[in-house]
Amino acid sequence: MRTMGYDLDLNVRTLSIKEDNIFDYMSGYNCIYLDSGRSCIKVICQLFKNKEVLVPSYSCISVISGFTNGVKPVFYAVHDDFTIDLEDLESKITSNTGAIYITNYFGHLLTDEAAAEILRLKEKYGLLVIEDNTQSLFSGDLKVGDYALCSIRKWFPVPDGGVIYSKNSLDVFDVKGFVKDSKQCDKLYPQTLKSMVIKGLVDYPVSKIADLFAVVEQELDEYANNGEIFLMSDFTRFVYTCNSVPDMIKTRQENERYLRSLIKSPYLRNALPHLEDNECPFNMPMYCTCRDEMWQYLVDNFEIYPSVLWRTHLYDEVNTIGCTAKMGREILSLPIDQRYTKEDMENMAEAVNSFKL
């Protein structure tokens, strides 16, 4: 069985221009391409300086720390199936609220009923709506957002990349003076090393590659925290042109459906009821009451590294709100992305099903 999970590796041998790339996919929107999703949040904060923004309690720490320009995040509850607690959301609206921040989780978009309620609140209170589609960019059009953002680097083997997009004009954002910065490409080193290890070109411990990714991510986090915002790097833009969006969507959909049919572990239950036929999964989230034990078992015995998104039970800002702590403790996300084949899904299911306390 080969190593699975963690960041995507970059195989420079296979790079070739694809017509159906991300820029073609986004051609129906006005777009600003930046270095990260966090930079996108910082720019969007220009719209509601010194205001409160309502943010789901189940959020990445990078989202929570991304609010600047005096913007204060106020957290609302999310149910354990990732639907919004609409009653709690409305109760948090005050005269100082500037926007509602919506997250579409794991490839699943807001239902039409929830979208209608968000639009009602938007009109009633005169608010902006921001959609975070980092996990759901490829599942369809915007549901309710005046503006949307995505950390698209999470989907492809690239060192950086985020986008703000909308049908509305983006002239409201001041991006004058933003520059490209090559430091964002430091992630290329572990990405290319991982590809070489997988192909047997170098002898390097697989477990140490994860440490390299962690070091680079920490350095980039510190870099981002200094307040600077950068444009997408030229090399990243090139790599994006070498990835077919339809092929990526098709592979993820097929892998997720097949893996779901194979998982028989009594310790796991689906975190999402289902995905619509047109929705593209980010990965496959499962609830596991012994999550950390299963994660360690898969790492130690099979070199499978499921994602943990996110450890919100450790965030003092949100861990007492709704189901946030439960979600942070129990969600385990199995990798189903375009790197993997049907055989990989079979091997992963066998490994998962073999776990016993």
Side-chain angles (χ1 to χ4, degrees):
M1 180 183 293
R2 63 174 171 142
T3 300
M4 300 181 68
Y6 269 118
D7 292 75
L8 280 74
D9 56 289
L10 179 62
N11 184 356
V12 294
R13 291 181 176 179
T14 62
L15 294 180
S16 62
I17 302 297
K18 307 292 192 303
E19 295 298 325
D20 50 7
N21 58 55
I22 183 67
F23 302 111
D24 175 70
Y25 183 81
M26 300 298 292
S27 61
Y29 294 102
N30 299 311
C31 298
I32 298 173
Y33 290 99
L34 302 171
D35 65 309
S36 67
R38 192 182 313 188
S39 287
C40 294
I41 294 173
K42 291 176 182 178
V43 171
I44 285 175
C45 283
Q46 295 176 6
L47 297 176
F48 34 86
K49 294 180 181 179
N50 301 313
K51 288 283 193 175
E52 294 176 349
V53 57
L54 301 181
V55 180
S57 56
Y58 186 64
S59 289
C60 175
I61 196 67
S62 294
V63 169
I64 295 172
S65 62
F67 293 102
T68 55
N69 285 310
V71 175
K72 177 186 176 183
V74 174
F75 300 100
Y76 61 86
V78 177
H79 300 300
D80 69 358
D81 62 353
F82 309 104
T83 57
I84 296 170
D85 184 333
L86 293 164
E87 182 177 344
D88 186 61
L89 171 64
E90 186 166 13
S91 74
K92 302 290 176 63
I93 298 175
T94 71
S95 60
N96 199 42
T97 303
I100 300 173
Y101 191 98
I102 303 295
T103 298
N104 288 310
Y105 297 99
F106 297 109
H108 189 49
L109 300 179
L110 284 176
T111 64
D112 291 341
E113 293 77 14
E117 181 62 14
I118 296 298
L119 288 173
R120 182 188 72 80
L121 297 177
K122 169 187 169 178
E123 294 171 2
K124 178 178 178 180
Y125 296 101
L127 304 174
L128 288 171
V129 176
I130 310 300
E131 277 190 65
D132 186 332
N133 283 321
T134 292
Q135 299 179 11
S136 301
L137 178 64
F138 302 102
S139 291
D141 293 331
L142 293 182
K143 296 286 287 193
V144 291
D146 296 291
Y147 303 96
L149 66 97
C150 175
S151 179
I152 40 180
R153 70 187 182 96
K154 305 293 198 306
W155 292 85
F156 298 102
V158 293
D160 71 288
V163 63
I164 298 171
Y165 64 103
S166 178
K167 296 287 188 180
N168 300 325
S169 170
L170 300 184
D171 291 343
V172 293
F173 298 113
D174 181 8
V175 296
K176 295 189 298 292
F178 290 180
V179 298
K180 301 166 187 175
D181 185 73
S182 60
K183 186 173 180 62
Q184 299 299 325
C185 287
D186 282 0
K187 201 170 182 181
L188 288 170
Y189 300 122
Q191 283 178 324
T192 52
L193 175 61
K194 184 173 181 179
S195 178
M196 294 173 72
V197 170
I198 290 171
K199 291 183 173 297
L201 298 176
V202 295
D203 183 15
Y204 192 87
V206 173
S207 60
K208 296 296 184 182
I209 297 177
D211 295 338
L212 292 178
F213 277 112
V215 168
V216 173
E217 285 290 350
Q218 182 178 352
E219 291 177 349
L220 293 179
D221 280 344
E222 293 171 356
Y223 199 51
N225 287 336
N226 67 13
E228 291 188 82
I229 300 171
F230 298 100
L231 300 175
M232 180 185 288
S233 66
D234 288 335
F235 185 79
T236 293
R237 183 175 284 271
F238 165 69
V239 177
Y240 277 127
T241 65
C242 298
N243 285 270
S244 166
V245 169
D247 288 349
M248 180 272 293
I249 292 174
K250 183 174 183 290
T251 301
R252 285 175 177 259
Q253 289 174 331
E254 291 176 348
N255 283 345
E256 192 269 349
R257 290 166 188 159
Y258 189 48
L259 180 60
R260 191 176 296 279
S261 73
L262 298 174
I263 295 294
K264 307 298 181 185
S265 171
Y267 305 104
L268 296 176
R269 70 175 178 89
N270 292 334
L272 283 173
H274 70 283
L275 290 173
E276 301 297 334
D277 289 342
N278 63 305
E279 292 182 325
C280 175
F282 183 63
N283 47 36
M284 197 173 97
M286 309 287 286
Y287 276 103
C288 180
T289 54
C290 49
R291 191 267 310 281
D292 292 343
E293 293 88 345
M294 179 176 279
W295 187 91
Q296 198 64 54
Y297 172 79
L298 295 174
V299 169
D300 290 344
N301 294 281
F302 304 98
E303 293 185 342
I304 296 174
Y305 296 81
S307 298
V308 175
L309 304 174
W310 300 279
R311 299 184 186 275
T312 45
H313 59 300
L314 303 178
Y315 304 171
D316 289 339
E317 301 96 327
V318 299
N319 60 19
T320 61
I321 300 175
C323 299
T324 304
K326 170 186 171 66
M327 298 163 86
R329 285 192 301 265
E330 297 185 10
I331 292 177
L332 184 75
S333 300
L334 301 176
I336 48 80
D337 59 71
Q338 61 269 29
R339 289 172 286 183
Y340 305 121
T341 65
K342 182 178 179 180
E343 182 181 1
D344 290 322
M345 297 300 100
E346 292 170 351
N347 290 335
M348 182 158 53
E350 183 177 357
V352 169
N353 292 338
S354 71
F355 170 77
K356 290 182 175 59
L357 282 177

